[in-house]
Amino acid sequence: MDIAKARGGPAWRRPRNLWIVAAALALSALAWLLSGLDRAAPSAAARDLWIDAARHGEMLREIRAVGTLVPRNTRWITARATATVQDVMVEPGARVEADTPILRLANPELEANLRRAEAALAGAEADVLATRTSLRSQLLDQRSQLAQVEAEWRIAEVRAQANERAHAAGVISAIELRQSQITDVQNRERSDIERQRVDTFRENMAAQLQAAQARRDEAASLLAIARQQVEALDVKAGIGGILQQVEAEAGQQVEMGAMLARVARPDDLIGRLQVSEVLAKDLALDLPATVDTRNGVAEARVSRIDPAVVDGSVVVDVSFVGGLPAGARPDLSVEGRIRLGRLEDVVSLARPPLAVPGSASSLFVLDADGRTARRVRVRYGAASSDRIEVVEGLGPGDRAILSDTSQWDDYDVLRLR
C-alpha cells in the first residue's frame, strides 16, 4: 500500500524557491544601482560653456538692434494708365532730376482720346463764339425796336401837348385832344414793354452764354485730363535723387496704379532698426542713439516707433543729429544702440538668451572650486540688450552658466571638466 510522506518544512525554504527569491533580490539591487547611475551628475567641458560673473555697480541700459539706412523721402512712381512699356531710359543707380524721363510707355487709345478731346474743345469754342454773335444780333434787333417805339412815343407826346394848347385856343375839338392823349399813353406803355423785353433778353443772353461757356470748360477739362494721360506715358522721376528700382521692362503690359520705379534722395537718410518686442516696451521718442555704419559712428535720436509687432520685432526709426560717415548709402546694413539710461548700485549679469525682464529662471552657479555647478533660482529686473539686472539669487562675483542648459533640466548639479 502507498505511504504518504510528511512535508519537510515551509515552501519558501525549498532550494528552488530560495534561488528564485535570491534572483529577485539581485535584480532589485541591480535596478537600484542602475537608477543611481542614471541620476548621477552629468558633466560638461567648461570651455564649451558661456560663463559670466555677476558684477555690482553701474549698469548701462541700452538696446542693440540691427537695421539698414533708408531714405527719408522716397517716391514710388506708378502707372497712371494701362499701357505697354516701350523703352527703359535710365537704369537703377543713376542720378536723376525731377524731369528726367525714366520709362516711355505707349497707349494708342489715349492718343486717340486726346485728338477727340482737342476736336471737342474746338467745337465748344466755336459754339460759344456763334452763340455770342447770334445773341448780340438779336439784342441789336431788340434795341432797334425799342428805339422805334420810344420815338413814336415821343412824337405822340409832343402831338398831345400841341393839341392841348390848340384846344385851349379853341382851334381843335375835345375829341381830337382826347385821341392824341390816348395815343401818347399807348406809345408810352409800348415803350415800357419794349424796354422790359430788352432787359429780359439781356438776362437770357447771359444765361445762354454761360451755358455755352460751361460746355466749353467741360471740353477743356476733358482735354486737360487726356493731355495729362498722354504726357504720363513719359514716366519722369518727379524728384531729384537716385533711381533705386525699376519694376518694368520693355514690352511689358502694365496696369493703372502698377509700381514702375522708385526714386530716393541719398543725401537725407534715416536708420531703420529692428528691435526685439521684449525690449521695445522701454522705448520712447527722442531717446539718444548711436548708429555704426562700419565706416564710423553717427549720433541719432529716436524719431518713430512702429505700433505694430511683425515677426517678433518692432520697427524703430532714428534720425541723425549730425552728418553721416563717408560711404553711407541707402540699404546699407548698420548696427544701432539706443540708450535707455543707467542703473546705479545694482547686481548685473550678461544677459542669458531666454532671460526676460521682470521674470525668474534657474541658472547653474559654479562653486568656489569651479568644478561643480548647482542650480539656483534667479529673479531678474530691468534689462539691456547685453546685460540684465539680478534682483535675487546671485551676489557679486558669483559665476553662472549662461549657455543653453535645457538638456540638463532634470538635474540640479553639473560637473565641469
Side-chain angles (χ1 to χ4, degrees):
M1 60 182 295
D2 296 334
I3 299 173
K5 293 182 178 180
R7 296 181 180 272
W12 63 271
R13 290 185 177 180
R14 295 178 182 178
R16 180 182 178 186
N17 291 340
L18 289 175
W19 282 108
I20 294 175
V21 172
L25 291 175
L27 289 175
S28 298
L30 180 60
W32 181 82
L33 289 174
L34 291 175
S35 65
L37 290 175
D38 289 341
R39 297 301 300 170
S43 64
R47 63 178 178 273
D48 297 333
L49 300 176
W50 177 22
I51 300 174
D52 186 57
R55 298 201 306 257
H56 178 265
E58 178 186 89
M59 186 183 94
L60 176 63
R61 294 188 63 205
E62 64 178 14
I63 297 175
R64 294 183 181 180
V66 296
T68 57
L69 296 181
V70 298
R72 186 189 302 274
N73 296 323
T74 301
R75 177 185 174 87
W76 273 104
I77 305 171
T78 60
R80 297 169 60 181
T82 301
T84 302
V85 180
Q86 279 192 329
D87 192 13
V88 178
M89 311 292 291
V90 183
E91 295 296 331
R95 179 174 292 276
V96 295
E97 300 298 333
D99 57 351
T100 301
I102 298 175
L103 298 168
R104 179 173 292 122
L105 309 180
N107 187 327
E109 183 179 355
L110 293 183
E111 296 174 356
N113 290 340
L114 175 61
R115 290 191 293 270
R116 285 195 294 268
E118 291 173 343
L121 177 60
E125 290 178 342
D127 183 53
V128 170
L129 181 60
T131 301
R132 181 182 290 111
T133 302
S134 175
L135 292 175
R136 283 180 177 176
S137 177
Q138 295 179 42
L139 178 61
L140 291 176
D141 293 341
Q142 293 285 342
R143 293 177 61 185
S144 175
Q145 182 68 21
L146 173 61
Q148 180 178 356
V149 171
E150 285 184 343
E152 292 177 356
W153 169 47
R154 295 301 180 185
I155 292 173
E157 184 181 25
V158 171
R159 184 178 290 114
Q161 293 174 356
N163 288 340
E164 287 178 0
R165 290 192 296 271
H167 179 267
V171 176
I172 62 174
S173 64
I175 295 176
E176 291 178 341
L177 174 61
R178 185 57 181 164
Q179 288 178 342
S180 63
Q181 290 175 342
I182 293 173
T183 302
D184 178 33
V185 172
Q186 181 180 11
N187 288 334
R188 184 172 64 249
E189 291 178 352
R190 286 182 59 198
S191 176
D192 292 340
I193 292 173
E194 289 296 331
R195 186 175 293 105
Q196 293 175 8
R197 184 176 296 172
V198 170
D199 294 339
T200 302
F201 185 80
R202 289 180 185 276
E203 296 176 358
N204 182 43
M205 177 181 176
Q208 291 188 49
L209 281 176
Q210 186 176 3
Q213 290 171 351
R215 291 190 294 271
R216 180 198 60 189
D217 294 342
E218 181 182 5
S221 177
L222 294 176
L223 175 60
I225 294 174
R227 183 174 288 118
Q228 290 175 2
Q229 290 177 334
V230 171
E231 291 175 352
L233 295 177
D234 288 333
V235 180
K236 297 182 179 179
I239 61 172
I242 299 296
L243 179 62
Q244 292 190 310
Q245 289 180 251
V246 176
E247 299 291 338
E249 56 185 14
Q252 179 180 345
Q253 181 83 12
V254 294
E255 300 295 329
M256 178 182 295
M259 299 293 185
L260 298 179
R262 186 179 71 174
V263 180
R265 294 187 57 183
D267 55 345
D268 189 8
L269 302 176
I270 61 174
R272 182 153 293 169
L273 308 177
Q274 302 288 335
V275 177
S276 170
E277 61 177 326
V278 176
L279 300 175
K281 63 182 182 63
D282 297 324
L283 289 173
L285 296 177
D286 294 327
L287 283 175
T290 58
V291 176
D292 185 359
T293 65
R294 308 295 190 275
N295 292 324
V297 177
E299 295 291 330
R301 287 193 173 275
V302 175
S303 58
R304 187 183 74 90
I305 303 173
D306 197 318
V309 178
V310 179
D311 296 332
S313 299
V314 175
V315 176
V316 177
D317 289 347
V318 294
S319 299
F320 295 101
V321 177
L324 281 169
R329 57 176 55 86
D331 299 327
L332 179 68
S333 297
V334 297
E335 180 181 352
R337 295 191 178 195
I338 302 174
R339 297 191 289 272
L340 302 178
R342 297 177 183 271
L343 295 178
E344 305 290 343
D345 196 25
V346 298
V347 177
S348 64
L349 186 71
R351 186 180 176 186
L354 300 180
V356 178
S359 67
S361 67
S362 60
L363 296 176
F364 282 107
V365 180
L366 277 66
D367 291 344
D369 59 4
R371 300 181 63 84
T372 305
R374 303 182 186 278
R375 189 178 296 277
V376 175
R377 187 73 172 174
V378 177
R379 188 162 62 89
Y380 302 115
S384 180
S385 290
D386 56 349
R387 298 196 68 78
I388 191 166
E389 178 187 6
V390 180
V391 179
E392 186 179 294
L394 294 179
D398 288 343
R399 294 188 299 162
I401 298 175
L402 307 183
S403 305
D404 182 15
T405 58
S406 58
Q407 57 182 320
W408 302 307
D409 283 347
D410 295 333
Y411 300 91
D412 293 329
V413 178
L414 180 65
R415 299 191 184 279
L416 302 182
R417 61 179 187 274

